[in-house]
Every structure is written in structure tokens, then in C-alpha cells.
Amino acid sequence: MSWRTKPKVAWLREQAGVTEDEPLASRTSFGIGGPADFFVEIGRAQAIEKLIEGCREREIPYLLLGAGTNLLIADRGVEGVVIRVVNREHEVEGTRVKAGAGLKMMRLARIVADAGLRGFEFAIGVPGTVGGAVYQNAGCWGKELSEVLVEVAGYVPGSGATVWKPSELKLGYRTSALREGALKGALVVSATLQLDRGDGEVAKQLMAKLTRERGETQPIKTKNCGSVFKNPPGDSAGRLVQAAGLKGLRQGAAVVSPLHGNFIVNDGGATAKDVKRLIERIQAEVRRRFGAQLETEVELVGRWT
Ligand code: EPU
């Protein structure tokens, strides 16, 4: 049964800043996906908490959106309300930094380098927000957020504001209890990181070098969702896709990047259906050739059926 009753729609329409049938494609790094039934962008944590509590009470589906990376939104859009989390405040105290969930990881990497802190350089290769990085324990160059994370302030609808220790978040390789466990639907408000005192200029030089290298191996100037697949244990999804001869494979306007096999590029007007079909073709061929099962890192959301 649909959630869409008159009183629920009326309640959503009363909420500040809410729009209807809002296009989402431009709010994703892929540039793909249909509209949100309802959409709102909120920077104040308390306002987000109030809204998701109201949704829970009314059984209205909601989706928390950050920078829209690592996401494939269905062509038929997203049911209920999409809440874009844009709280971007940050506070450096000694070697600790507390950052709002809506702050971009790359921006935070520069902020902490400016503050003379080290140990967060890897974040210059992570395209999403702090909230998204907690949600899937984002990482790059062999480092993950979990290695610097001290605590996370959050909100669990039905139970209230809370502070999680990293162990409570069950952080794994590109996953957490927020993505796949008991905390699904909970909000990340901010994350506190423990870094090291050091030379910020050296950090910036390292980040510049890492960015250059990333530009040589990944199609960073294209519309994409980051890595499509998780690396299978002890192997690399990109290597497997290349070995299966699938670089350049096309489905509509979705193409396997000729530069890196674990990227699918929106070549202009690709649909979510194109990308999903291409993912399935890659999985089938890699399974047939090497017996390896590629699991998606990108998250498929919205109305797929
Ligand atoms: N390789 C190929 N062909 C390809 C791509 C890669 O043979 O088309 C080989 C490389 O030569 C290398 C190995 O595969 O020997 C690993 O490749 P790479 O160093 O590019 O790293 P990756 O394992 O493909 C991971 C993360 C990236 C992160 C990079 C850099 C995953 C799924 N991906 O990629 O993260 O940027 O390391 O450290 O863990 C992301 O998560 O969205 C992401 C981009």
C-alpha cells in the first residue's frame, strides 16, 4: 500500500522549504536519476531530526542525501521525501576536529591541513560528504575513515539524539550499521576525528601529489559514481573488469571507463536502467570468465520496480 495519503501529503507540504517533484540527477555525481516526490535541503541538525521523526511517526519513507556520490537513483525517482543534509560547520580543537555531516571530505582535508594537522590526507581522494563517509566507512589509498574516527553524533528516529563510538557503528570495508545494519535510517549529525600535529604544507604537497596520481588512474573529470564494485578479497575489481576485456563496453550512454575498469561513466544522458544493465553484464562476464562475484559498492535507491 502506498504511504501517500492526503493528511501525509498535506503535512509534508507544510514543512519549511519542501518542494515537490524535484529533479535529483543534478544533485548526484553521476548526473542520473528521476525526481524526489518531496525534497528539502536542511543545514540545521535539529530541523533534520524533527523532520525524520515526523516521517517515522507517519510512516513516510525518507532518504538522507549527501553529495550524491556512490549513488544510482532510479529513473522513476524516489518515493517519499529526500532530505539533503548540508550542515557544514567545523571546529578544530588541538588535534581533534569535529565536522558537520554535510561538509565535503575534500574540503575538510584542506581545512585540517590549514590547521597544521596530518593523517587525513587520504580524504582528498574521497568525493562525498563526512556523513556519507561515516555511512560507508569511505577510504582511499589503503586508509579508511575508521582509522581516524573518535565518535559520531547522530539521531535515531524513535529514540533520539545519541553519540556512537566507532565500534557501535560496525564499520567495515565500505559499510556500517547505518548502511546495512540496525542503524538504517539513522542520521549522522557530525563526526569527530583524531589527527596528528604536523606540517600542514607537507600535507598539502602530499594531497596535490595524490590528486595528480588519481587523475592519471581514474576518470575524475567525468560524471561517475566512484568505484562501482567493491574489491573482492585480495583482488581488484578494476583489474578483473580489464582482464575480462570489458573496458569501453557500452550500454546506451553508460560506458565502462577505458581508464579504470571499476568506473562507469555517464557519457551524456545515460539512464539508471542503462547503468544497472551494464553492471549486470559486467558481473555476468566476470563470473563466467573468472568465477568471481563482483558486489556493488554503489547503492541503488528509488523506484526500481
Ligand atoms: N587495475 C587494472 N585495471 C584497471 C584498474 C586497476 O589492472 O582498469 C589494477 C591497478 O593496476 C592496480 C590495482 O588494479 O594494480 C588496484 O587499482 P587502483 O590502485 O586504481 O585501486 P582500486 O583498488 O581500483 C581503490 C578504491 C578507490 C580508491 C583507490 C585509490 C575500492 C573499490 N576502490 O581502487 O576508491 O580511490 O583505491 O586508493 O576500494 C571509491 O571507493 O569510490 C574509490 C574510488
Side-chain angles (χ1 to χ4, degrees), residues 39 90 235 248:
F39 176 83
H90 59 270
D235 207 339

Side-chain angles (χ1 to χ4, degrees), residues 157-192:
S159 113
T162 186
V163 176
W164 295 299
K165 291 279 161 229
S167 59
E168 295 173 87
L169 293 171
K170 309 260 180 292
L171 300 166
Y173 172 52
R174 301 296 194 268
T175 192
S176 74
L178 294 155
R179 179 170 174 166
E180 283 168 306
L183 295 176
K184 259 186 161 182
L187 171 75
V188 172
V189 173
S190 67
T192 302

Side-chain angles (χ1 to χ4, degrees), residues 73-95:
I73 294 177
D75 297 313
R76 290 176 56 232
V78 180
E79 192 127 353
V81 56
V82 173
I83 304 162
R84 187 154 183 261
V85 175
V86 293
N87 57 324
R88 302 187 179 117
E89 69 285 347
H90 59 270
E91 197 183 312
V92 180
E93 231 186 279
T95 49

Side-chain angles (χ1 to χ4, degrees), residues 70 125-127 136 138-143 173-174 214 217-218 224-231 235-243 247 257-263 297:
N70 204 51
V126 176
Q136 59 155 359
C140 206
W141 297 293
K143 280 206 138 204
Y173 172 52
R174 301 296 194 268
R214 192 165 153 262
T217 56
Q218 297 180 5
N224 66 73
C225 65
S227 294
V228 175
F229 301 105
K230 293 182 186 179
N231 283 334
D235 207 339
S236 147
R239 188 198 72 75
L240 285 164
V241 173
Q242 175 168 347
K247 278 183 164 182
S257 166
L259 188 59
H260 196 300
N262 201 10
F263 282 74
E297 173 178 324

Side-chain angles (χ1 to χ4, degrees), residues 33 65 87 119 156 183 199 221 243 251 302-303:
L65 184 72
N87 57 324
V156 183
L183 295 176
D199 189 335
K221 297 222 166 89
Q251 177 78 37
R303 293 185 180 93

Side-chain angles (χ1 to χ4, degrees), residues 30 63 70-74 179 225 228 272 275-277 279-280 296-304:
F30 234 150
L63 173 75
N70 204 51
L71 209 58
L72 180 60
I73 294 177
R179 179 170 174 166
C225 65
V228 175
V275 176
K276 186 163 183 278
R277 181 80 195 101
I279 288 173
E280 289 162 354
T296 46
E297 173 178 324
V298 61
E299 191 169 5
L300 275 63
V301 297
R303 293 185 180 93
W304 283 98

